[in-house]
Every structure is written in C-alpha cells, then in structure tokens.
Amino acid sequence: MQAFRLVVEYYNYFVTIFLMVAGLYVVIARGNMIKKLVGLAIFQTSVYLLYITPGKILGGTAPILDPAFKVYSNPLPHVLILTAIVVGVATLALGLALVARINEAYGSIEEDETFERDREA
Amino acid sequence: MRQRSLFGVVILSGVYSFLMASVLIVLDAVDVAMTEASVGAGVSTVLLLATLHLTKTTEATSFRGTMIPLFVAVVTGAALIWSTFDLPPFGTAEAPIHKHVAPYYLENSLRETTVPNVVTSVLADYRGYDTLGETTVIFTAGIGVMLLLRGARRRDRAADVEGSS
C-alpha cells in the first residue's frame, strides 16, 4: 500500500524522468541530425513538465483571477516555461540551419558519414 | 520499431507536442499549453519540414551500438528517480514552491496591474526584463539562421554562373 501511494504521488515525476531519459538516449544513440534535434525537443518538453508539475495544486484552477475561485495553481513556473518554449524554438531553428549548412558542406546529415569525410580529408 | 522516414518522425513529433499541450491543460498551465500547441506543434513542425526540404528525408542505416547510450540513459534515469522522493508529493498546497512569491502575485497582481490573468501580468509587468532577454535570444538566433542560410544561397548563385558560362 505504501509503495502504491508513492507511485501515485510521484507518477508525474516518473513520466517526466522517462521523457528526459528517452530524449537523452535519442540524442546519444541516433546519428541522424534531424532525429537528434527531435530528441532534444523531447528532452525540452520533459523540462516543461518538471517545472509545471510542482506548480499544480490539486483542487486548484488555472491562475486567471475570478471571484468564483479561491485556489489557484502557481503562476510563476508557467511564466518561466512560456519563455523557455519560445527560446527553445529559437535554438531549434538555429540547430536546423546548422544541419542545412552541414548538408551543404558534407552532402550528408548523418554524423557517422561526416566523421568519415573528416577522417579522409 | 525504427522509423526510417524522417517525414514520419517530424509528423510524430508534432503529434507529441499536441499531446503535451493537453497534459499541460490538465496541469492548469493553459497559457503554456496554448504556446506549446502553436509554437511546438506549429512553428517547430514547419521549421523541421523546411529543413527536410533542404536536406534528405530518409535516414541511412547506421551500425552504431545501442548498449552504451542505453546504459547511460538507464543510470541517469535511476539516479533521477532515486532523488525524486525528496520532492514534495504531487499537488499539495503546502509545498515550499507555493509559499514564496506566488501568493504575492495572486493577491496583488489584480490591484497593481488590473490584468486578471496572473501569468500575463507576471510575464509582462513583474518580470518584463525576462521577456526582454527572451526577445534578445530570438533576435540573436534569427541573425544566426540568416547568416547560415544566406551564405548557402550566394554559393548556389556563384555555382549557377560558373555552370552557365
């Protein structure tokens, strides 16, 4: 019963950690640069969950003030993550531009093939 | 299961972003969910598709081992789960995060800024400098993308001129 309660209380954190680790795995294991960037995006979304999860209060509502409600979830993580999402898409755009540039210089977006080309040169 | 078609990967990442947006709505972060749906599922997908147009749409077969990355991932995950139990349980109002500046914002933001949405008032009023820094980051990234892609176009044109003469 104790173990079951622990799992329920920390379930959101477990999901967060699973996504984080999945993103980490994709970034390390996949040589394709598009897939690497998608993995990085998964890692980023796990950080969104990591911030938003502790801000939630059970029985609370979204932090938009109205006399009908008394308990609101914490608005501060929401603000921080709003900024993080927009910065995330900016870094994604920069990463994708680098991929396009690498493809132009090496004719490949596979990490293994670009390393091979470097060794030959 | 391995998805070799990068087009499929991009579409799946868009689906994932929408799912994440619905999870964020459940967690009361409606503003974040809206941004995630429009920026994560919309703009990111368009950017990824544009890159596929400029590069390749299939992944080459790779002979990398998966043991080392799997080991790193599992060890990191185990360490993170072990440290999770020091955090306050999900959804409790007594957690330290709810005792610091958040009550101030919730009590005073309507009087001080007249905006009922607390997220908006914190983003634009109390922490406006954060947003200024954010736009600086976007501006810098935009310059970087422009420089990287403009060079490509110029070289293309030079190659065309050489080819035709």
Side-chain angles (χ1 to χ4, degrees), chain A residues 10-53:
Chain A
Y10 293 97
Y11 185 68
N12 256 41
Y13 293 110
F14 295 156
V15 173
T16 305
I17 289 167
F18 173 74
L19 289 174
M20 198 175 273
V21 168
L24 184 70
Y25 173 79
V26 173
V27 170
I28 303 174
R30 292 287 169 265
N32 186 286
M33 290 172 191
I34 303 272
K35 279 197 173 179
K36 261 189 206 294
L37 285 172
V38 171
L40 205 61
I42 293 176
F43 201 121
Q44 255 173 2
T45 49
S46 82
V47 176
Y48 305 162
L49 272 188
L50 184 70
Y51 268 67
I52 300 293
T53 298

Side-chain angles (χ1 to χ4, degrees), chain B residues 12-137:
Chain B
L12 282 175
S13 86
V15 171
Y16 169 78
S17 280
F18 269 121
L19 287 176
M20 184 55 73
S22 12
V23 171
L24 291 170
I25 287 187
V26 175
L27 291 173
D28 287 349
V30 282
D31 302 77
V32 183
M34 228 161 4
T35 315
E36 173 67 14
S38 59
V39 174
V43 179
S44 294
T45 309
V46 170
L47 287 174
L48 283 162
L49 287 177
T51 317
L52 288 191
H53 176 69
L54 289 175
T55 58
K56 298 173 177 58
T57 51
T58 46
E59 185 194 20
T61 5
S62 137
F63 300 102
R64 294 173 154 226
T66 54
M67 285 320 285
I68 297 173
L70 203 61
F71 176 74
V72 171
V74 168
V75 169
T76 314
L80 285 171
I81 284 183
W82 175 63
S83 55
T84 295
F85 296 112
D86 282 346
L87 290 172
F90 175 72
T92 46
E94 290 79 35
I97 184 176
H98 302 302
K99 300 286 173 208
H100 193 49
V101 286
Y104 177 86
Y105 290 144
L106 288 171
E107 277 159 28
N108 301 312
S109 73
L110 191 61
R111 185 171 47 78
E112 289 180 353
T113 66
T114 70
V115 182
N117 188 339
V118 184
V119 176
T120 311
S121 68
V122 176
L123 186 79
D125 289 311
Y126 295 110
R127 298 183 69 94
Y129 277 110
D130 274 12
T131 310
L132 183 67
E134 170 195 339
T135 49
T136 314
V137 170

